[in-house]
Amino acid sequence: AEGEAAPVGHDLWEDIAEVLIPEDQLQKRIQELGETITEDYRGRDLVVVGILKGAALFTADLFRWIRVPASLDFMRIVSYAGTRTTGVHRVLLDLEYELDGRDVLVVEDIVDTGLTLRFLRDYLLPRNPASLRVAALLDKPSRRQVDVPIDYRGFEIPDRFVVGMGLDFNEKYRNLRAICVLRPEVYAAAGQE
Ligand code: 5GP
Ligand code: MG
Ligand code: MG
């Protein structure tokens, strides 16, 4: 009604300000990454480690383009509240597999400050994998606080808080098929930014 703020969150697409990366570009790039990974690991077999929950959807799509023998495992790490990192990481779910002597590919949704990736490397390297590489769908280099290598990168994006394709804001919007930026009112309504 007139003078009243529209309710936020009742329709997924009404909360979207902008599509940053459309679905077809995401899928094309994920196929390319899978083909590169397949070439790089030919003759070996791989442990793919998806980082829940954000990378669940990217991991599922990428995994199906990897054409070498590969096992799939998951970890869950938390550090975020709203749109900001707390800088403190907690492992909520650890791996099922031993990594000793295995080629490991960690799959992340987005690398922002780099603190999560550094935590993961420090956490996994003592388990003596033969190799440890990282695939990240998105990279926000302007926000980096620590230098971490990304071996397979989907897209570089500007310093915007994005959702979709597994990435959430307060546990919503993971099911958007594109990478999107929310309307400012949505963040404001949740008391962020
Ligand atoms: P970092 O530790 O590199 O700062 O952040 C890594 C994690 O922060 C990501 O795995 C993701 O969960 C979260 N994150 C960083 N930037 C964004 C963003 O723009 N949108 C969402 N939804 N999560 C983000
Ligand atoms: Mg993540
Ligand atoms: Mg999150």
Side-chain angles (χ1 to χ4, degrees):
E2 194 108 345
E4 253 180 74
V8 146
H10 61 289
D11 179 315
L12 210 50
W13 279 100
E14 283 182 12
D15 293 350
I16 304 307
E18 194 188 330
V19 171
L20 222 56
I21 310 171
E23 180 182 4
D24 58 335
Q25 277 183 42
L26 285 170
Q27 291 306 323
K28 182 168 168 284
R29 185 69 186 128
I30 293 169
Q31 177 176 349
E32 287 170 3
L33 292 175
E35 288 169 352
T36 305
I37 291 165
T38 300
E39 286 309 308
D40 290 356
Y41 287 91
R42 213 172 271 298
R44 292 142 76 186
D45 54 72
L46 192 58
V47 178
V48 173
V49 174
I51 307 303
L52 299 175
K53 299 179 215 174
L57 282 69
F58 172 45
T59 303
D61 287 343
L62 181 67
F63 193 67
R64 287 176 291 174
W65 285 113
I66 295 176
R67 304 263 166 85
V68 297
S71 352
L72 181 60
D73 209 342
F74 291 97
M75 283 183 76
R76 174 136 199 247
I77 299 179
V78 288
S79 81
Y80 260 67
T83 63
R84 287 166 206 290
T85 182
T86 61
V88 179
H89 297 83
R90 274 195 305 146
V91 176
L92 293 190
L93 174 73
D94 209 329
L95 295 174
E96 176 191 345
Y97 305 138
E98 305 287 326
L99 300 184
D100 196 50
R102 311 289 308 274
D103 289 306
V104 176
L105 178 67
V106 169
V107 181
E108 254 292 31
D109 50 1
I110 183 166
V111 182
D112 186 28
T113 62
L115 292 168
T116 302
L117 210 54
R118 188 181 62 181
F119 171 84
L120 269 168
R121 291 183 66 86
D122 292 347
Y123 193 77
L124 296 179
L125 282 173
R127 299 182 187 187
N128 294 313
S131 67
L132 179 66
R133 289 189 187 167
V134 173
L137 181 62
L138 305 174
D139 182 12
K140 258 192 231 177
S142 58
R143 295 245 317 157
R144 201 71 93 251
Q145 290 178 24
V146 292
D147 201 23
V148 283
I150 303 173
D151 303 280
Y152 306 99
R153 173 198 344 248
F155 299 86
E156 192 175 306
I157 61 165
D159 183 12
R160 314 278 300 273
F161 190 84
V162 294
V163 297
M165 186 68 196
L167 288 104
D168 73 306
F169 174 62
N170 288 349
E171 294 301 323
K172 285 167 65 187
Y173 309 104
R174 294 189 198 276
N175 50 337
L176 291 169
R177 305 182 69 98
I179 296 294
C180 304
V181 177
L182 296 175
R183 289 161 54 208
E185 307 89 280
V186 182
Y187 302 112
Q192 307 283 334
E193 302 291 74

